[in-house]
C-alpha cells in the first residue's frame, strides 16, 4: 500500500512529536508498518437490545478482516442504537429520531478525533442508516455503509409469512375480538425468528435500498439477508473496497449529489418504501451540502411508478426480493427505462451503469415480487407531499395500496399518542373520522414519535381503510392506511394543527395533494389570537437539547 493513500491519519501518527500517540496505538496492536497504512474507523452499531443489530459484531469483524486484506489498518469502535420496534407505543419512542443525530455525532467524534482516513460503518435498525451516512457526508472521508440485512420471515398459524407488523396488528385484532390471547401469544413468539431488521419495506429496508441506489453501499447490500454467507462475504469485500476508495480519493460528497439523491428516492418509490425516507434523505442532503427540498420529492414522485408488492401494503418481504434476484436487477430495470442516472459514481469506484452492466433486469427473471413497468401497482409514487391551510410548510402521506385516497370527516383531536391509543382501545373511533394527533412534532414530542401502535391497532379493528389520520409526528414504515405525517409547522410552535377542534371538517385529498381544515380564515385567525407557546415537555437531558436545536420536519428535522 502506497503511503500516498494516507490522507488525514498522518496528523495523528506522523513525526517525532506524535510518539506518544503511536505509543498508545502500539498498545492496541499497531506495528511499525501500520503507521504507513490508511487508518480506517470501523463503526459497529452492535447491540443485543434488538435483533436488527444483534449480529453486527460478527459482520464488523469480517469488515476488519477485509480492511487488513486490502492493506489498511482497522480500528473498530461502537456507536449507539435505539430499537424503534421495541420503543414503539410509549415514551421511549421520543428517543428514536434523536438517535439519528446522536449516531452521526458519535461517528463524527471518533473518526474526526482520530483523523481516520476512511469510515466503514455497520448498522441495522431504522435510524442507523441515515445517521451513519450523515456522519460520512460531514467528515467527507472515503466511506462505505454496510447494512446488517433483513430478518427472515416468521411462520403464521396458516403457514404464511408473518413479521413484526403482524404482532402489532394482532393486538388490534384482540381488541376487536377477532383473536384470543393464545393467538396473540403465538404471533408474538413467531414474528421475529432471529437476527436482522424488520422484513417488509419498512424504514430499515427502505433506507438501505436508498443508500445502495445512492452509491454509498455495495450492490446487493440492501437485499442480502442478515443470516447468510452472502452478507458475511459482503462485509469482507466492503473492507477491501474502502481501501481502494482511499487510494482513489473518492469521498462521500463525490457520490452524494442531486442526481444520486434522485436515484435513491426513485428506488424508494419503486419499492413502496417508508415516508421516513423523506426526512432522512433531506437530512443526508443537508449534510452533503446538496440543495434539496420537498418539491424535489414531489417532482420525482410524479414520474416513478410503484412496482414492488412488498409489505406493509403488499404481500412479500425483503427475503422474497432476495430470492427473486435482489436489489440490483430492479435497479437495472429502472436504469434501462431511463429512470436512473447511470453516470453517478458509487463506492465501488465505478458508476451505477458500470455496476449493473452484467446484471439481468428483474423483468427478465420469472418472479412475482416486482411488477413490470407496463403493469405497475400504481403509475405514480406512493408517497405524496400535501400542502394546505393545515400544512403550510408541507406534510407527507403514504398511499400505497389504498383504494380510498380522499377522506372528508370530522376531526377527533388528541394531544398525544397515548390518549389516542386509549380511545382506540375503548372502540371510540368510528369509520369516517379524521384522527388528529398533535404535540408529537420534533419540538413538541420532543422527538417526533412514530405511531405504529395506533395505526396497527386501527387496522386490526378493521378501520384502516375507512378513517383518516394526521399528525405532526411520524408513522412507521410498517404503517398502512390514509395517514398523513410530518405536518409542518407543528402544533408546539403554533402551526395550524394546534387550532383544530373536535368536529372540525378536515379534507385529506391525496390526488389533489391537499390537507385542508374546512374552517374559514376569520375563525382560524380568531383561534390564533392569544396563543401562547407551551412550556417544553423536557427541561434537561438529550431530549431538551434536541428540542432547542431541531429544525422543522420540512427541513428533515436536523439539528445542525
Amino acid at each position: 500500500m502506497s503511503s500516498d493513500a494516507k490522507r488525514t491519519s498522518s496528523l495523528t501518527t506522523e513525526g517525532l512529536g506524535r510518539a506518544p500517540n503511536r505509543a498508545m496505538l502500539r498498545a492496541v496492536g499497531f506495528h511499525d508498518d501500520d503507521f504507513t497504512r490508511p487508518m480506517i474507523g470501523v463503526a459497529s452499531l452492535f447491540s443485543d437490545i434488538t435483533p436488527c443489530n444483534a449480529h453486527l459484531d460478527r459482520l464488523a469483524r469480517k469488515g476488519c478482516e477485509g480492511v487488513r486484506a486490502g492493506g489498511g489498518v482497522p480500528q473498530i469502535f461502537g456507536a449507539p442504537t435505539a430499537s424503534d420496534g421495541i420503543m414503539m407505543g410509549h415514551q421511549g419512542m421520543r428517543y428514536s429520531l434523536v438517535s439519528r443525530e446522536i449516531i452521526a455525532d458519535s461517528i463524527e467524534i471518533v473518526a474526526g478525533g482520530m483523523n481516520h482516513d476512511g469510515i466503514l460503518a455497520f448498522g441495522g435498525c431504522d435510524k442507523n442508516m441515515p445517521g451513519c451516512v450523515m456522519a460520512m457526508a460531514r467528515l467527507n472521508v472515503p466511506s462505505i455503509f454496510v447494512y446488517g440485512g433483513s430478518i427472515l420471515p416468521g411462520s403464521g398459524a396458516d403457514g404464511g409469512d408473518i413479521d413484526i407488523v403482524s404482532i402489532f396488528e394482532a393486538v388490534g385484532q384482540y381488541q376487536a375480538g377477532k383473536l384470543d390471547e393464545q393467538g396473540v401469544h403465538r404471533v408474538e413468539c413467531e414474528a421475529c425468528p432471529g437476527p436482522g431488521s424488520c422484513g417488509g419495506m419498512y424504514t430499515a429496508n427502505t433506507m438501505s435500498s436508498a443508500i445502495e441506489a445512492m452509491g454509498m453501499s455495495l450492490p446487493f447490500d440492501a437485499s442480502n439477508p442478515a443470516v447468510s454467507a452472502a452478507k458475511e462475504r459482503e462485509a469482507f469485500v466492503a473492507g477491501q473496497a474502502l481501501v481502494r476508495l482511499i487510494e482513489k480519493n473518492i469521498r462521500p460528497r463525490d457520490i452524494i449529489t442531486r442526481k444520486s439523491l434522485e436515484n435513491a428516492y426513485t428506488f424508494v418509490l419503486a419499492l413502496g418504501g417508508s415516508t421516513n425516507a423523506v426526512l432522512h434523505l433531506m437530512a443526508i442532503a443537508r449534510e452533503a451540502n446538496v440543495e434539496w427540498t420537498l418539491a424535489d420529492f414531489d417532482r420525482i414522485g410524479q414520474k416513478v411508478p410503484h412496482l414492488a408488492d412488498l409489505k406493509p401494503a403488499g404481500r412479500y418481504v425483503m427475503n422474497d426480493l432476495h430470492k427473486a434476484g435482489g436489489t440490483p436487477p430492479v435497479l437495472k430495470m429502472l436504469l434501462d427505462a431511463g429512470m436512473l442516472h447511470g453516470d453517478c459514481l458509487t463506492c465501488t469506484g465505478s458508476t451505477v451503469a458500470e455496476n449493473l452492466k452484467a446484471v439481468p433486469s428483474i423483468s427478465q427473471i420469472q418472479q412475482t415480487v416486482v411488477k413490470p413497468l407496463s403493469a405497475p401497482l400504481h403509475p405514480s409514487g406512493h408517497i405524496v407531499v400535501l400542502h394546505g391551510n393545515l400544512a403550510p410548510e408541507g406534510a407527507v402521506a403514504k398511499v400505497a395500496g389504498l383504494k380510498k385516497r380522499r377522506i372528508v370527516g370530522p376531526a377527533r383531536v388528541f394531544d398525544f399518542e397515548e390518549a389516542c391509543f386509549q380511545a382506540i382501545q375503548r372502540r371510540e373511533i368510528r369509520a369516517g373520522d379524521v384522527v388528529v394527533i398533535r404535540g408529537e412534532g420534533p419540538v413538541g414530542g420532543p422527538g417526533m414519535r412514530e405511531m405504529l401502535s395506533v395505526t396497527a391497532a386501527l387496522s386490526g379493528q378493521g378501520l384502516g381503510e375507512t378513517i383518516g389520520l394526521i399528525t405532526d409526528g411520524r408513522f412507521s414504515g410498517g404503517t398502512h392506511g390514509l395517514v398523513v405525517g410530518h405536518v409542518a409547522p407543528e402544533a408546539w410552535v403554533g402551526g395550524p394543527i394546534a387550532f383544530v377542534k373536535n368536529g372540525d371538517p378536515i379534507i385529506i385529498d391525496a390526488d389533489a395533494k391537499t390537507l385542508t381544515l374546512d374552517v374559514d380564515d376569520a375563525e382560524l385567525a380568531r383561534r390564533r389570537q392569544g396563543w401562547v407557546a407551551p412550556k417544553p415537555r423536557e427541561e434537561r437531558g438529550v431530549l431538551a437539547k434536541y428540542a432547542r436545536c431541531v429544525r422543522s420536519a420540512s427541513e428533515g428535522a436536523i439539528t445542525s
Side-chain angles (χ1 to χ4, degrees), residues 505-519:
I506 291 178
I507 305 167
I508 305 172
D509 193 328
D511 292 322
K513 299 180 182 178
T514 56
L515 180 62
T516 307
L517 176 63
D518 196 10
V519 172

Side-chain angles (χ1 to χ4, degrees), residues 210-421:
I211 291 166
E212 181 180 330
M214 186 190 300
M216 287 297 293
S217 61
L218 298 181
F220 294 98
D221 175 69
S223 55
N224 282 336
V227 182
S228 67
K231 182 56 72 176
E232 297 207 9
R233 287 194 298 269
E234 178 201 330
F236 181 88
V237 171
Q240 292 178 303
L242 181 53
V243 180
R244 293 195 297 271
L245 278 190
I246 295 170
E247 291 177 317
K248 296 178 180 179
N249 196 26
I250 297 174
R251 299 168 181 256
R253 293 184 203 170
D254 300 321
I255 295 171
I256 305 171
T257 64
R258 274 188 66 81
K259 291 203 297 186
S260 74
L261 284 164
E262 288 186 2
N263 285 351
Y265 192 57
T266 293
F267 203 33
V268 167
L269 293 170
L271 294 179
S274 165
T275 54
N276 279 317
V278 174
L279 276 180
H280 298 328
L281 289 175
M282 182 87 76
I284 290 168
R286 291 283 194 277
E287 299 290 4
N289 291 329
V290 177
E291 183 181 344
W292 194 265
T293 69
L294 284 177
D296 290 301
F297 294 108
D298 203 34
R299 170 177 57 83
I300 297 166
Q302 291 175 7
K303 61 184 181 181
V304 178
H306 176 200
L307 300 171
D309 193 10
L310 293 165
K311 291 186 176 184
R315 295 177 291 167
Y316 298 107
V317 294
M318 184 58 94
N319 190 56
D320 296 306
L321 181 57
H322 165 69
K323 291 188 290 185
T327 38
V330 186
L331 288 167
K332 181 62 174 290
M333 180 171 72
L334 296 170
L335 178 68
D336 290 346
M339 293 183 180
L340 292 182
H341 299 286
D343 59 345
C344 288
L345 191 61
T346 75
C347 67
T348 65
S350 301
T351 65
V352 168
E354 289 167 342
N355 287 344
L356 298 175
K357 186 175 181 181
V359 176
S361 168
I362 195 79
S363 61
Q364 299 171 320
I365 300 172
Q366 187 173 0
Q367 51 81 42
T368 56
V369 180
V370 179
K371 302 296 183 184
L373 286 164
S374 59
L377 291 166
H378 195 270
S380 60
H382 67 290
I383 296 174
V384 294
V385 177
L386 311 179
H387 287 87
N389 68 349
L390 255 180
E393 291 180 9
V396 178
K398 183 176 179 180
V399 295
L402 291 184
K403 297 172 184 159
K404 192 171 184 180
R405 295 163 63 94
R406 186 177 190 272
I407 287 180
V408 180
R412 292 294 312 279
V413 183
F414 302 94
D415 284 322
F416 46 90
E417 179 188 3
E418 286 82 359
C420 180
F421 190 74

Side-chain angles (χ1 to χ4, degrees), residues 499 501 504 517-529:
F499 310 115
K501 293 184 176 181
D504 283 348
L517 176 63
D518 196 10
V519 172
D520 65 58
D521 293 343
E523 170 61 15
L524 194 55
R526 187 188 65 78
R527 294 181 188 181
R528 286 181 184 276
Q529 289 177 355

